[in-house]
Amino acid sequence: MPNRDKHVRSFDVFDTLITRRCAKPHDVFRLVEQESGILGFAAARVRAEVNVENSAYTIDEIYAELPELLGLDPSEAEQLKSLELKFEREQTIPIEENLRLVRDGDLLVSDMYLHPAHISELLSVAGLNKEIELHV
């Protein structure tokens, strides 16, 4: 009989292992708008993502769109990106019953625009301390 403990299992990251405190993902953009004081940021952030969504994209491509949409210089866009990542960390909460199922060696997958390092950080914030493989 095969040892099932040696099989690798896979889990989707968002809405399976972690979620956000805020009701909708776009609420994070509203938090950035409030904190930064840049009126219209949330709507521009949504537009920027729509502008790049025809192919695989990352948060960097999204934020490369914002200077033109909001009249910012690239360094200001970088500061806003850092603020969004801060709020992503603060809003992350674990889905405990699913996180408990993850074992060393399991595969985690995501189609999120965040870089693997950012997603790993969110998983760590949620309390995941397993040796996993992450595919984004």
Side-chain angles (χ1 to χ4, degrees):
M1 186 158 80
N3 181 351
R4 295 196 184 275
D5 290 338
K6 294 193 181 218
H7 289 110
V8 173
R9 296 169 308 156
S10 65
F11 297 88
D12 187 45
V13 174
F14 291 93
D15 298 326
T16 300
L17 299 177
I18 60 176
T19 191
R20 294 177 182 94
R21 282 178 172 69
C22 52
K24 300 175 197 158
H26 291 171
D27 290 344
V28 170
F29 310 154
R30 287 183 193 88
L31 292 171
V32 173
E33 182 170 327
Q34 288 173 329
E35 179 83 11
S36 69
I38 297 176
L39 295 177
F41 170 81
R45 171 60 179 78
V46 170
R47 273 195 314 276
E49 189 167 347
V50 168
N51 289 351
V52 299
E53 70 183 2
N54 289 330
S55 62
Y57 61 94
T58 67
I59 194 167
D60 296 329
E61 283 84 20
I62 295 167
Y63 273 83
E65 295 284 312
L66 281 175
E68 185 177 328
L69 292 173
L70 289 171
L72 304 172
D73 66 49
S75 66
E76 291 172 307
E78 279 298 311
Q79 291 173 346
L80 290 168
K81 180 172 71 173
S82 293
L83 196 54
E84 179 177 333
L85 293 170
K86 173 190 149 216
F87 281 118
E88 285 288 357
R89 286 188 301 274
E90 290 177 0
Q91 291 293 311
T92 296
I93 56 174
I95 301 175
E96 295 284 348
E97 61 272 17
N98 294 337
L99 271 179
R100 282 193 292 270
L101 299 174
V102 178
R103 298 184 303 224
D104 287 334
D106 282 346
L107 172 65
L108 277 54
V109 295
S110 176
D111 62 356
M112 177 71 149
Y113 49 79
L114 295 176
H115 295 292
H118 297 142
I119 294 172
S120 292
E121 185 178 9
L122 297 179
L123 288 163
S124 180
V125 164
L128 183 68
N129 59 0
K130 302 294 183 187
E131 293 293 324
I132 52 91
E133 187 174 337
L134 176 62
H135 284 272
V136 179

